[in-house]
C-alpha cells in the first residue's frame, strides 16, 4: 500500500504529485537531497535499513543492465520487503512489478538515452507494471534540455548525476544545447553560479550552473503541468534535440498509453504551432469521436462546409454570422480546420473545438491537407446528405474537398468565387440552398443536445438517454435537457450543456436514464457510504477501465447513487490509495 506518494494533478502521463516525506517534495523533482541508498546486493548481502520519513530509502537492490535475458533477470530479482517508511525499489523492465514501494528506479535508464524507441518502450512497460500512485525515477539521465520530455513520458523523479558529470567535463548545459566551456565568451545565464566574470568561471562553477539549470527547468515543467500546457511546451522544446523529437513522436504512436492518461478536456487552449499538434491525443480523439460516434440529424438539409474562424466558438465570429444569414437554417453547417479536422455546428463548443489557436500562414502543408481530408472522408462516408455544398476559399480548403470528392465519387457544389464573405459568394451560397426546407429552433436545440451526448457517451447515446420526449430549455449555448411527461408538460431536468467545455452534466434523473439505456455506462463502485463533494480513492471498490479524467461517471454503492466527474483515470482509481477519484455533483441516499 502506497502511503508516501500522492498524485494531485495530471497532464497526460505527466503528474504533479507530493512525495510525502517529513519535509514534502513536490514532483517532478530532483531527488538527490532526499534519497538514501541502502546499497547494491551484488558485492555483499545487506540488511534492510531502519529508514525514516525524512528520506526516500532505496532498498538493497541488484541493478540489471538493459537487454538482460528474462530468465537471468528473474533469477536475480530481489524480493523487496514491505517497510513502514518511504521506500524505493530498483527494477528493470523485466522485473518491474508491485513491490509495495513508493517509488521505482529503472536500472537501465542511462543506457536508453539516445534511443527513442527503446526509451519509450522501457518507460511505458515499467509505468504500466508498477502501481499508478507510485513514482518512477530515472537516474543518470536528466539534463535541462531533456527533462521536460522525460516528465511528459511519465517520469516523476530524477537525479543530478548527468548534469554533474557534464559539468566536470566542461560542458555547460542549457535548455537548448550543451556548450564546451572554452567556447563560451560570455555566460548566457543569470543563476548564482554564473554571476561572476567569465574568466573566473571554472568547471566546479559549471557543475553548479548545470544543477541550477536543471532545477529551474523542472520548476518550469511543474508550472506547465499545473496549467495543463506541458505538451505545448514539449513540442517546442523537443526540437532542440533529434532524440527528443523522435521520443515525442514515438510516444504519439503509443496512442493507447497517452489516451488513457489524457483528460477529456483542459482548462487552457491548445497552441497549434507545429504539425506535431495533429498527433496529439485530444486532436485524434476528437476526430475519432466525430467520425465514429456523431450522427448528423438534419435529415432534409444539405451539408454546408465552411472555413473555421479565428474567433471561438465559430458562431461568435463575423464571418460565420454572415454564413448563417445566407444559409437561413436550410443547411447543416460544419467547419473545416487544421488541426481539428471537421467540426459539426452542434459540437463547436466541445473541447477542443473552441479551445485551440493555430499559426495562420495562408498555406496548408501536405500533412495538414491529408489529415483533414481523411477526417472529412470518414465523416461523409455513411452519411446521407442530399447535397454537399462547399463554401471555402482556395488555399488548401478546396484541394481537401476535391480530394475527398474524388475518393467518394461524389459531386460537390462550390459557391465561392473569390472569398467566402464577398457579396457574390454569399449570394451563391444562398442560391444553392433554394428549395431546401428550414429547420426549426427547437430542432436545432434538440439536435445539439443529442449530438453532444453521442460524442460524450457513445454512438446512439443522444437518443437512448433522452428518448423521444426531449424538451430543451434555455438559450444556446446555455441549454438544459428535460424529459416530457405523458400529459405533454415538462418533466425532470436530465442534463445541462456546459458552455466552457461543451459537454453535458447529468442530473440524477439523467444518470438513471443513462444506466437504464443500452449505452455503455462508466461506473465507479464505492463502499457503503454516502459521498458528499468527492469520492476519495480508498473508497472506490471498482472503476471501469475506460474512465478518463473529466469523464461523466455514475457513482454507485450500497447506500448511494450519484453522478459526477472523474479526476483520475479508471485504472488509477482501482490502484490508488490516496487522492480524489471523482467529484460528486448529485447524490441520493439509497
Amino acid at each position: 500500500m502506497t502511503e508516501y506518494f500522492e498524485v494531485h494533478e495530471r497532464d497526460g502521463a505527466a503528474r504533479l504529485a507530493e512525495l510525502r516525506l517529513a519535509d514534502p517534495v513536490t514532483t517532478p523533482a530532483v531527488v538527490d537531497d532526499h534519497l538514501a541508498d541502502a546499497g547494491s546486493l551484488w558485492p555483499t548481502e545487506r540488511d534492510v535499513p531502519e529508514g525514516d520519513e525524512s528520506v526516500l530509502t532505496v532498498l538493497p537492490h541488484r541493478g540489471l543492465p538493459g537487454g538482460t535475458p528474462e530468465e537471468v533477470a528473474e533469477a536475480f530479482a530481489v524480493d523487496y520487503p514491505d517497510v513502514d517508511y518511504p521506500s524505493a525499489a530498483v527494477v528493470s523492465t523485466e522485473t518491474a512489478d508491485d513491490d509495495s514501494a513508493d517509488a521505482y528506479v529503472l536500472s537501465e535508464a542511462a543506457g536508453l538515452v539516445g534511443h527513442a524507441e527503446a526509451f519509450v518502450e522501457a518507460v511505458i512497460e515499467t509505468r504500466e507494471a508498477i502501481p499508478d500512485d507510485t513514482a518512477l525515477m530515472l537516474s543518470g539521465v536528466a539534463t535541462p534540455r531533456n527533462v521536460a520530455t522525460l516528465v511528459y513520458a511519465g517520469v516523476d523523479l530524477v537525479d543530478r548525476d548527468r548534469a554533474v558529470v557534464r559539468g566536470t567535463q566542461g560542458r555547460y548545459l542549457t535548455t537548448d544545447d550543451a556548450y564546451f566551456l572554452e567556447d563560451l565568451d560570455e555566460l548566457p545565464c543569470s543563476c548564482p553560479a554564473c554571476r561572476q566574470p567569465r574568466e573566473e568561471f571554472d568547471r566546479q562553477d559549471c557543475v553548479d550552473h548545470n544543477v541550477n539549470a536543471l532545477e529551474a527547468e523542472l520548476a518550469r515543467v511543474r508550472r506547465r503541468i499545473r496549467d495543463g500546457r506541458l505538451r505545448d511546451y514539449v513540442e517546442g522544446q523537443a526540437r532542440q534535440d533529434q532524440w527528443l523529437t523522435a521520443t515525442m513522436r514515438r510516444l504519439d504512436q503509443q496512442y493507447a498509453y497517452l489516451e488513457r492518461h489524457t483528460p477529456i478536456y483542459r482548462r487552457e487552449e491548445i497552441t497549434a504551432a507545429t504539425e506535431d499538434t495533429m498527433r496529439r491525443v485530444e486532436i485524434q480523439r476528437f476526430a475519432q469521436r466525430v467520425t465514429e460516434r456523431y450522427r448528423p440529424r438534419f435529415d432534409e438539409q444539405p451539408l454546408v462546409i465552411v472555413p473555421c474562424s479565428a474567433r471561438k466558438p465559430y458562431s461568435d465570429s463575423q464571418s460565420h454570422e454572415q454564413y448563417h444569414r445566407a444559409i437561413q437554417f436550410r443547411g447543416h453547417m460544419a467547419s473545416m480546420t487544421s488541426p481539428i479536422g471537421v467540426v459539426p455546428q452542434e459540437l463547436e463548443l466541445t473541447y477542443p473545438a473552441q479551445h485551440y489557436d493555430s499559426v495562420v500562414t495562408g498555406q496548408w502543408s501536405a500533412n495538414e491537407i491529408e489529415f483533414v481530408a481523411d477526417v472529412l472522408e470518414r465523416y461523409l462516408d455513411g452519411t446521407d446528405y442530399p447535397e454537399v455544398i462547399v463554401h471555402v476559399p482556395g488555399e488548401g480548403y478546396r484541394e481537401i474537398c476535391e480530394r475527398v470528392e474524388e475518393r467518394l465519387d461524389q459531386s460537390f457544389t462550390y459557391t465561392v468565387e473569390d472569398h467566402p464573405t464577398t457579396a457574390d459568394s454569399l449570394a451563391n451560397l444562398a442560391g444553392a440552398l433554394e428549395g431546401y426546407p428550414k429547420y426549426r429552433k427547437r430542432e436545432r436545440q434538440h439536435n445539439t443536445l443529442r449530438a453532444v451526448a453521442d460524442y460524450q457517451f457513445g454512438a446512439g447515446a443522444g437518443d437512448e438517454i433522452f428518448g423521444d420526449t426531449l424538451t430543451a430549455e434555455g438559450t444556446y449555448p446555455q441549454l438544459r435537457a428535460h424529459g416530457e411527461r405523458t400529459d405533454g408538460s415538462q418533466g425532470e431536468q436530465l442534463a445541462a450543456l456546459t458552455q466552457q467545455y461543451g459537454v453535458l452534466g447529468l442530473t440524477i434523473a439523467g444518470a438513471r436514464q443513462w444506466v437504464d439505456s443500452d449505452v455503455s455506462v462508466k461506473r465507479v463502485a464505492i463502499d457503503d457510504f454516502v459521498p458528499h463533494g468527492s469520492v476519495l480513492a480508498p473508497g472506490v471498490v471498482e472503476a471501469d477501465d475506460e474512465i478518463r479524467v473529466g469523464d461523466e461517471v455514475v457513482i454507485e454503492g450500497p447506500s448511494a447513487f450519484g453522478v459526477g466527474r472523474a479526476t483520475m483515470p479508471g485504472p488509477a482509481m482501482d490502484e490508488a490509495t490516496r487522492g480524489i477519484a471523482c467529484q460528486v455533483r448529485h447524490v441520493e441516499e439509497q
Side-chain angles (χ1 to χ4, degrees), residues 255-507:
Y255 179 81
Y257 171 72
L258 288 182
E259 194 278 333
R260 186 164 62 251
H261 295 92
T262 301
I264 296 299
Y265 55 79
R266 299 176 187 272
R267 295 186 300 270
E268 302 296 330
E269 70 177 18
I270 292 173
T271 302
T274 75
E275 288 192 7
D276 287 313
T277 302
M278 290 185 292
R279 289 184 280 270
R280 287 181 65 148
V281 166
E282 298 95 323
I283 303 300
Q284 296 294 326
R285 180 193 278 152
F286 186 85
Q288 182 181 44
R289 292 190 177 192
V290 165
T291 56
E292 295 179 5
R293 295 184 174 189
Y294 168 82
R295 175 175 67 83
R297 290 180 168 83
F298 296 90
D299 299 326
E300 300 180 22
Q301 285 77 29
L303 173 67
V304 181
I305 301 174
V306 298
C308 65
S309 65
R311 185 165 183 173
K312 318 290 188 308
Y314 302 135
S315 59
D316 285 350
S317 69
Q318 291 184 355
S319 61
H320 279 241
E321 184 179 349
Q322 291 175 294
Y323 305 151
H324 279 293
R325 284 201 298 266
I327 293 170
Q328 288 290 307
F329 307 112
R330 295 171 296 172
H332 176 222
M333 200 161 77
S335 301
M336 191 164 63
T337 177
S338 176
I340 305 295
V342 176
V343 183
Q345 64 186 37
E346 307 98 298
L347 300 179
E348 66 165 358
L349 299 176
T350 303
Y351 184 89
Q354 69 159 333
H355 308 84
Y356 75 97
D357 191 14
S358 58
V359 176
V360 179
T361 64
Q363 293 181 325
W364 290 62
S365 71
N367 288 335
E368 287 177 307
I369 289 173
E370 182 55 32
F371 172 71
V372 178
D374 178 65
V375 175
L376 179 60
E377 180 184 359
R378 287 188 285 144
Y379 174 83
L380 287 174
D381 191 28
T383 61
D384 194 26
Y385 289 107
E387 185 179 4
V388 177
I389 298 172
V390 178
H391 192 76
V392 298
E395 313 90 10
Y397 288 100
R398 178 136 184 169
E399 182 178 345
I400 290 168
C401 293
E402 289 173 346
R403 186 175 298 189
V404 174
E405 186 179 24
E406 181 179 354
R407 289 177 184 175
L408 295 178
D409 193 23
Q410 293 185 14
S411 294
F412 296 169
T413 301
Y414 294 88
T415 55
V416 173
E417 294 186 7
D418 179 20
H419 188 273
T421 58
T422 63
D424 287 343
S425 295
L426 292 171
N428 290 342
L429 175 58
L433 290 161
E434 291 230 0
Y436 285 107
K438 291 185 178 182
Y439 54 82
R440 297 174 300 165
K441 175 182 177 182
R442 176 175 174 176
E443 182 181 1
R444 183 169 75 253
Q445 292 176 334
H446 288 187
N447 288 352
T448 296
L449 291 168
R450 293 187 194 278
V452 174
D454 287 347
Y455 177 93
Q456 187 174 349
F457 301 113
D463 296 330
E464 286 280 341
I465 296 175
F466 296 138
D468 298 327
T469 60
L470 172 66
T471 63
E473 290 293 315
T475 303
Y476 181 82
Q478 296 173 327
L479 296 178
R480 300 181 302 278
H482 289 258
E484 186 176 87
R485 295 190 177 95
T486 54
D487 62 3
S489 63
Q490 180 177 290
E492 288 185 279
Q493 181 175 327
L494 303 176
L497 181 63
T498 304
Q499 181 178 353
Q500 185 176 5
Y501 302 114
V503 292
L504 294 170
L506 297 177
T507 63

Side-chain angles (χ1 to χ4, degrees), residues 528-546:
D528 191 1
F529 65 96
V530 179
H532 295 284
S534 62
V535 173
L536 299 180
V540 175
V541 175
E542 185 179 9
D544 288 344
D545 285 346
E546 299 305 311

